[in-house]
Amino acid sequence: MVRIGFLLASLVALTGAIPAAHKNDKKPPQAFDTTNAYPLPNIAGVITHDPNILYEDGFYYMFKSGLHVPWFKAPSMNGPWESMGSVLSKKSQIPVGARDRPWAPTAIKRNGKFYCFYSVSESGSRESAIGVATVDVLAKSKEDGDSEWTDHGALIRTGKGKYSDVDPFTRTNAIDPTFIEDRDTGKPYLVYGSFWDNIWQIPLSDDLLSIEHPEKPDAVPLAQEPSKSADGAPVEGSWVSYHDGWYYTWFSRGICCEFDNGLPPAGDEYKIRVGRSKNVRGPFQDRQGRNITEGYGEDVYKSNHGVVYAPGGEGVLERSGGLPDILYYHYLNATVGFAFDTAQLGWNYLDYRGGWPVVVPGDDEDFLAGGKKPDSWEDCSTQACM
């Protein structure tokens, strides 16, 4: 069994990196799942919401929600994470929402250029937009990290603005962007949405600076929750990855982050789910062949050990050279608190069993020391099992 003491010791070592929790003690916290069916996270030592990570020239780069889209660099997933400044040098040029604090960025490299998709909105509003910024070379130090990105403005808008009266923009929410391309044709797609009519996919132009046929976009739903309440749909934070002939649509289901009035009933908090398809456009299904547009999906990672609470806002770092893919996410640590600004970056390896991703223990130091992946992940039972 993975020892909870490992996580607690690591938190002590990170004093200063993790701020003290706000006191939300007016209502006692409700119990949540203490299962040990999932490994504890590898601790990255950085506060974050909606992280996005890419790997380039020996470094990991993380982008997150915040002032002008902050980004960071680290030599390993465990840090230390060095601030590189922000993607945007000022407020987004898109005249909507909290323009100075974009949400849920996704940065990618394509055809030698870097793109950062971001969303601007306000809590509870469908007046939202997804924009994109570009840069030719990632800065190597903070001194040249600011002001080099070019903000190209909005790709799509909902609630108001150009093409917001075109379906599906009339019923969706333009937040939480991510990107995938067809591995056979190279065709690029934008995936977005939550709270209103869930998660959708739309073809992009080849330069990634606009959507294809905006007057009549070829949009398809990827994941939906038919039982959504008046408070909003409980699926969001999507990501699409590829592995060994399968596309995987990942999403966060449940209540994310606002726990000032106490925790929701156990199981209603964020959890990470997935569906898969042989076609980049879907339909994406669970193990039983049920479409995730009908409210289904496979649980991959959720609250565990009585320590990890509400993991979500996930992404997958696809890797080569014999190294396993990485699932990363933000989560709340129950030993620190449940305040919004204590959410931190966690990550785990993924193994694929029968084509389905499974979260497993270990970190890159284990791989470098052991030289190769063990014959069976099933034998892995500690944080340093290799």
Side-chain angles (χ1 to χ4, degrees), residues 100-305:
D100 58 338
R101 291 185 172 272
W103 297 351
T106 288
I108 64 160
K109 183 180 182 181
R110 188 171 190 263
N111 297 332
K113 179 177 287 192
F114 296 90
Y115 299 77
C116 182
F117 302 95
Y118 64 86
S119 48
V120 286
S121 187
E122 291 180 331
S123 181
S125 173
R126 203 175 68 82
E127 292 186 358
S128 312
I130 291 172
V132 60
T134 61
V135 71
D136 291 331
V137 179
L138 288 181
K140 300 301 182 184
S141 66
K142 184 175 181 178
E143 286 69 27
D144 60 357
D146 283 338
S147 305
E148 289 194 353
W149 294 75
T150 300
D151 184 8
H152 298 276
L155 286 170
I156 62 173
R157 295 183 63 174
T158 57
K160 64 180 180 181
K162 192 173 184 179
Y163 300 121
S164 62
D165 58 345
V166 174
D167 189 68
F169 309 132
T170 53
R171 51 196 171 111
T172 56
N173 193 20
I175 65 171
D176 293 358
T178 189
F179 173 87
I180 188 66
E181 68 178 21
D182 190 306
R183 292 303 177 97
D184 293 325
T185 66
K187 181 69 180 175
Y189 295 92
L190 178 75
V191 179
Y192 80 97
S194 62
F195 284 94
W196 281 272
D197 218 33
N198 303 282
I199 296 165
W200 288 72
Q201 181 197 81
I202 295 177
L204 288 172
S205 61
D206 192 59
D207 64 5
L208 310 189
L209 300 182
S210 63
I211 62 171
E212 190 175 71
H213 309 306
E215 301 87 353
K216 193 175 182 180
D218 183 16
V220 295
L222 294 193
Q224 293 181 307
E225 179 56 50
S227 61
K228 65 183 180 181
S229 69
D231 294 330
V235 297
E236 58 183 1
S238 62
W239 186 267
V240 185
S241 64
Y242 179 85
H243 180 85
D244 196 24
W246 290 97
Y247 297 92
Y248 298 87
T249 287
W250 304 77
F251 56 98
S252 303
R253 185 185 189 278
I255 299 171
C256 169
C257 326
E258 302 293 346
F259 302 121
D260 289 345
N261 296 317
L263 306 185
D268 283 0
E269 75 276 10
Y270 250 20
K271 61 178 67 68
I272 299 171
R273 311 192 86 185
V274 74
R276 71 177 190 179
S277 175
K278 285 287 188 178
N279 191 314
V280 70
R281 310 228 68 192
F284 288 83
Q285 300 176 328
D286 66 9
R287 289 178 188 265
Q288 285 71 49
R290 300 173 298 188
N291 291 346
I292 63 174
T293 52
E294 298 172 2
Y296 299 105
E298 293 295 312
D299 289 343
V300 179
Y301 198 68
K302 57 185 180 180
S303 300
N304 61 80
H305 289 86

Side-chain angles (χ1 to χ4, degrees), residues 277-352:
S277 175
K278 285 287 188 178
N279 191 314
V280 70
R281 310 228 68 192
F284 288 83
Q285 300 176 328
D286 66 9
R287 289 178 188 265
Q288 285 71 49
R290 300 173 298 188
N291 291 346
I292 63 174
T293 52
E294 298 172 2
Y296 299 105
E298 293 295 312
D299 289 343
V300 179
Y301 198 68
K302 57 185 180 180
S303 300
N304 61 80
H305 289 86
V307 175
V308 176
Y309 186 71
E314 69 290 330
V316 173
L317 183 60
E318 301 172 34
R319 305 203 297 176
S320 59
L323 292 174
D325 291 350
I326 287 174
L327 174 69
Y328 56 85
Y329 45 86
H330 70 242
Y331 72 100
L332 294 168
N333 187 294
T335 68
V336 176
F338 301 95
F340 182 90
D341 61 1
T342 64
Q344 56 191 277
L345 174 64
W347 67 274
N348 297 91
Y349 282 143
L350 288 175
D351 190 26
Y352 293 83

Side-chain angles (χ1 to χ4, degrees), residues 358-376:
V358 178
V359 173
V360 292
D363 64 22
D364 275 351
E365 290 182 3
D366 298 328
F367 265 89
L368 293 174
K372 65 177 183 178
K373 174 179 168 180
D375 291 335
S376 174

